[in-house]
Amino acid sequence: MNPEDLAAIWVTSQLALVTTLLLFVIGTPLAWWLATTKRWYKPPLEALTALPLVLPPTVLGFYLLLLLSPNSAIGGFFFELTGVRLTFSFTGLVLASVIYSLPFMVQPLQVAFERVQEQCLEDAYALGVRKITAVFTAVFPQCRRGFLTAAVLTFAHTVGEFGVVLMIGGNIPGETRVISIAIYEHVETISYADAHLLAIALLIFSFLVLLAVFTINRQLPLRAY
Amino acid sequence: MLHIRIETIGEFRVFVDHEFPKSITAVFGPSGSGKSTMLRAITGMEPSRGFIRFDGNEWLNSDSNVFIRPHQRPIGYVRQNAQLFPHLTVQDNLAYPIKYSKRQGENITFDGVVEDFELSSLLSRRTNQVSGGETQRIILARMLLSQPKLLLLDEPLTGLDLQRKAEILPFLESLQTKYHIPTLYVSHAVDEVTALCPHTIVLAAGKVQATGQTPEVLERRDLAELLGGSEPSSIISAKVVGHDSRYHLTKLEVEDRIWSVPMHLPLTLGETTTLRIRARDVSLAKVEPEAISVRNILRGEIVAIDDSESGPSVNCFIQTGQTRIQAQITRASLDELSLRIDDTVFALVKSVTLG
């Protein structure tokens, strides 16, 4: 495998890891809020969270490009502040991926929280335990499956990104060129052997990840220690 | 002790204004009468207006915006179909309130509760490796370890078969005899109530229908339907004075009379138990019967006659010493014997249920 493809694998892994970690921090409270609130604006927010599931990545990428470019208000402000461009940069890719993969983190968590949360919290209150402690010691441990599923889906989905990355990140080797774009490039330049190598690697990786999730979920009993 | 005047705010309105005595009170009533909602309102988990005072502390006062959060009220609450935390072992379930609750208490210790509830052999088990009766015991023990000053038990025996119930009852009794924690006990089973609870409050349609000493409340015919169709009956307490193994009888002392009832060996000598006598199991005679098979015959005076119902029967209340017994006889017999208040009669008790 040539060094540029290795660099693409490295960029992809970094991107997926950072995105998953960030979404873990952002997605958990958001999913909790969606699972527990009864306010009228819950449905619109749920719809907004799920939008990346149905929108063509080019639509999302297009608006992100407009929003994040140094000529725009947000992108310009960020550039003034940090000297980092949000378009055609790794930082920009992370930001886009966080938005794009949001539903893959939030939805499994929300389902898990909804199943466990209410009675479990009340049982803990009745034992004299305050909410924040109860959430971390009683609710979250019972939602392990949900956390695992959410993290793996987010990671795998980020690895498989193409459209948004192309729109907002471009194709800078070692910076924004991820595996899917490298494959696209190999096909464009008719170097099918290189494309094969990356494609089969991605295929096997994705299959193994999903296999691991389903296996662990089977073995991790719901009522268990 | 516990004084509440609350009205719940949710879809189902429950209004209760009551001062609970410092012992164990049965909360009785048909399903949908508001029993569980009232308990939840006392815990603070069900929004309500009004006030809740406990031992000089105010937990709720909607006039002055006092609201103590559920986990800060020293309540041991066992909801219906309560469960253990499935991700923890039995030991960790029991230790959970000790580890994570800030409530203070001195005399309830882990080792003591484990011993009292006979749990030492279960500690290392997972929650799916214990039976329903054991789960219930662990739930009660875990509740005690949260150092409660008031217990709210919502049908803690529901879903258990008769034998399991009989296994748990002594543990429920020990909550009173050993730990002396005032309790509200929601139930729809008369037997549980007579055995455990000296006081009763009856709810229906979200309102209090009756309160008082359990025997008196259970005697009231106008409540019979609310009490789950239970029949009017009398509750009296008795002391065990002996077992007669030849005739398979247990001897009980009621005031200064000795009763014989079918032998019930779990009772130990000197123990106090309750007897429930259904009104229809009591007949009346104007003269002392002789040569008769009924063994328990009491002499007393008629103190009240309840003929408010239009059916064939009337209920007579017979006072004998401190004890009051209810007899259901036909209206025809009442007239034929021309029974009146203050008449001396003999009550023939054909069968009793031990509490």
Side-chain angles (χ1 to χ4, degrees):
Chain A
M1 203 174 278
N2 65 52
E4 284 199 354
D5 284 351
L6 285 176
I9 292 176
W10 175 236
V11 169
T12 309
S13 315
Q14 273 185 306
L15 179 65
L17 194 68
V18 172
T19 303
T20 306
L21 289 177
L22 278 177
L23 269 180
F24 188 75
V25 175
I26 300 165
T28 304
L30 180 59
W32 180 266
W33 186 84
L34 286 173
T36 52
T37 191
K38 290 181 176 87
R39 303 212 178 257
W40 64 267
Y41 48 85
K42 173 186 169 174
L45 265 163
E46 274 181 307
L48 206 62
T49 322
L51 261 188
L53 285 177
V54 294
L55 271 187
T58 41
V59 173
L60 205 65
F62 174 62
Y63 282 116
L64 283 174
L65 192 61
L66 292 185
L67 219 62
L68 301 181
S69 109
N71 304 325
S72 75
I74 295 174
F77 178 73
F78 193 80
F79 186 70
E80 290 286 308
L81 209 68
T82 62
V84 177
R85 292 171 55 100
L86 285 181
T87 47
F88 306 107
S89 72
F90 184 75
T91 314
L93 268 197
V94 170
L95 193 62
S97 295
V98 163
I99 293 167
Y100 186 51
S101 294
L102 184 68
F104 291 84
M105 180 63 79
V106 168
Q107 291 196 346
L109 287 182
Q110 189 184 338
V111 170
F113 294 159
E114 276 168 353
R115 188 176 52 77
V116 174
Q117 163 267 129
E118 199 162 344
Q119 298 234 296
C120 182
L121 277 183
E122 290 194 352
D123 285 349
Y125 296 158
L127 295 169
V129 177
R130 67 199 187 112
K131 186 171 181 177
I132 186 80
T133 311
V135 167
F136 279 96
T137 60
V139 180
F140 284 177
Q142 290 184 52
C143 296
R144 281 178 303 183
R145 274 191 187 187
F147 278 110
L148 180 74
T149 309
V152 171
L153 283 180
T154 305
F155 188 89
H157 183 252
T158 310
V159 167
E161 266 178 55
F162 177 72
V164 175
V165 177
L166 191 65
M167 296 286 282
I168 196 141
N171 186 7
I172 308 164
E175 168 92 14
T176 64
R177 181 189 285 176
V178 296
I179 299 174
S180 57
I181 288 173
I183 295 172
Y184 181 71
E185 177 119 331
H186 288 315
V187 174
E188 288 283 278
T189 56
I190 327 187
S191 31
Y192 281 9
D194 290 331
H196 258 313
L197 205 59
L198 281 178
I200 199 78
L202 205 54
L203 190 80
I204 292 170
F205 168 79
S206 305
F207 177 76
L208 288 180
V209 163
L210 292 177
L211 183 68
V213 173
F214 289 121
T215 311
I216 294 171
N217 257 353
R218 255 176 84 116
Q219 285 172 353
L220 195 77
L222 219 52
R223 299 172 55 82
Y225 177 65
Chain B
M1 202 275 289
L2 175 70
H3 188 188
I4 64 173
R5 181 183 296 151
I6 46 174
E7 185 178 10
T8 57
I9 297 168
E11 265 170 50
F12 180 45
R13 293 289 165 105
V14 173
F15 179 78
V16 178
D17 179 359
H18 190 62
E19 188 158 5
F20 293 90
K22 204 179 174 90
S23 66
I24 177 161
T25 304
V27 182
F28 227 56
S31 60
S33 58
K35 306 181 296 268
S36 300
T37 310
M38 179 184 81
L39 288 204
R40 285 176 52 80
I42 297 172
T43 67
M45 296 178 201
E46 185 81 27
S48 56
R49 265 191 297 268
F51 69 78
I52 301 174
R53 291 186 197 120
F54 178 78
D55 272 355
N57 297 312
E58 208 156 48
W59 288 347
L60 172 78
N61 189 337
S62 44
D63 290 337
S64 50
N65 280 325
V66 174
F67 177 77
I68 303 297
R69 288 171 177 278
H71 74 272
Q72 291 168 323
R73 305 182 186 189
I75 293 176
Y77 169 56
V78 172
R79 65 178 161 86
Q80 247 183 91
N81 310 316
Q83 279 169 3
L84 294 166
F85 293 130
H87 63 293
L88 299 175
T89 59
V90 170
Q91 161 134 16
D92 290 339
N93 263 283
L94 291 170
Y96 187 85
I98 300 174
K99 235 164 136 179
Y100 298 116
S101 163
K102 292 206 176 74
R103 286 183 201 156
Q104 299 295 317
E106 303 93 48
N107 50 0
I108 303 177
T109 63
F110 185 87
D111 292 342
V113 169
V114 166
E115 194 187 321
D116 289 345
F117 283 75
E118 297 167 17
L119 297 174
S120 51
S121 63
L122 303 176
L123 289 180
S124 59
R125 302 247 186 112
R126 297 173 188 172
T127 55
N128 56 356
Q129 293 172 326
V130 292
S131 71
E134 289 166 341
T135 300
Q136 215 57 20
R137 251 154 64 201
I138 300 164
I139 285 172
L140 291 173
R142 182 177 70 171
M143 169 197 77
L144 273 180
L145 288 169
S146 75
Q147 310 292 348
K149 305 263 187 301
L150 171 70
L151 304 184
L152 307 177
L153 308 180
D154 199 347
E155 307 209 16
L157 298 181
T158 303
L160 299 176
D161 57 39
L162 275 178
Q163 193 181 339
R164 297 277 174 288
K165 276 188 190 179
E167 282 171 29
I168 305 286
L169 268 173
F171 296 105
L172 283 171
E173 270 173 349
S174 79
L175 293 178
Q176 290 314 300
T177 53
K178 171 139 195 209
Y179 295 99
H180 311 289
I181 309 175
T183 303
L184 309 195
Y185 184 99
V186 169
S187 176
H188 57 246
V190 176
D191 293 344
E192 286 171 37
V193 169
T194 53
L196 289 171
C197 313
H199 302 273
T200 293
I201 175 170
V202 180
L203 297 186
K207 293 201 176 65
V208 179
Q209 305 297 319
T211 62
Q213 307 280 315
T214 300
E216 284 158 25
V217 173
L218 293 187
E219 263 176 11
R220 284 177 51 178
R221 279 177 106 196
D222 56 319
L223 297 174
E225 212 168 305
L226 290 181
L227 303 176
S230 77
E231 298 172 68
S233 47
S234 322
I235 314 291
I236 56 183
S237 68
K239 203 166 110 189
V240 181
V241 292
H243 293 294
D244 179 344
S245 53
R246 181 163 169 224
Y247 290 112
H248 290 275
L249 294 173
T250 291
K251 301 280 185 192
L252 300 169
E253 190 182 66
V254 181
E255 296 184 40
D256 49 4
R257 287 187 51 92
I258 301 296
W259 289 47
S260 320
V261 301
M263 187 143 80
H264 192 64
L265 278 177
L267 293 174
T268 52
L269 287 187
E271 187 183 339
T272 302
T273 183
T274 47
L275 297 174
R276 186 158 73 93
I277 305 159
R278 291 185 298 183
R280 64 167 180 164
D281 287 333
V282 181
S283 312
L284 296 179
K286 278 199 103 168
V287 293
E288 183 159 16
E290 287 171 7
I292 185 168
S293 68
V294 173
R295 301 205 57 84
N296 300 312
I297 299 170
L298 302 152
R299 185 193 154 103
E301 274 93 47
I302 298 177
V303 289
I305 297 172
D306 174 7
D307 59 354
S308 57
E309 311 247 320
S310 56
S313 57
V314 294
N315 279 24
C316 299
F317 294 84
I318 319 299
Q319 190 80 35
T320 157
Q322 300 294 309
T323 311
R324 205 149 75 127
I325 289 182
Q326 199 176 168
Q328 191 175 77
I329 60 174
T330 60
R331 199 179 296 276
S333 302
L334 184 80
D335 289 345
E336 217 162 277
L337 297 174
S338 58
L339 294 172
R340 287 194 186 81
I341 286 172
D342 289 340
D343 280 2
T344 297
V345 289
F346 295 87
L348 288 65
V349 179
K350 278 173 284 186
S351 87
V352 303
T353 313
L354 284 167

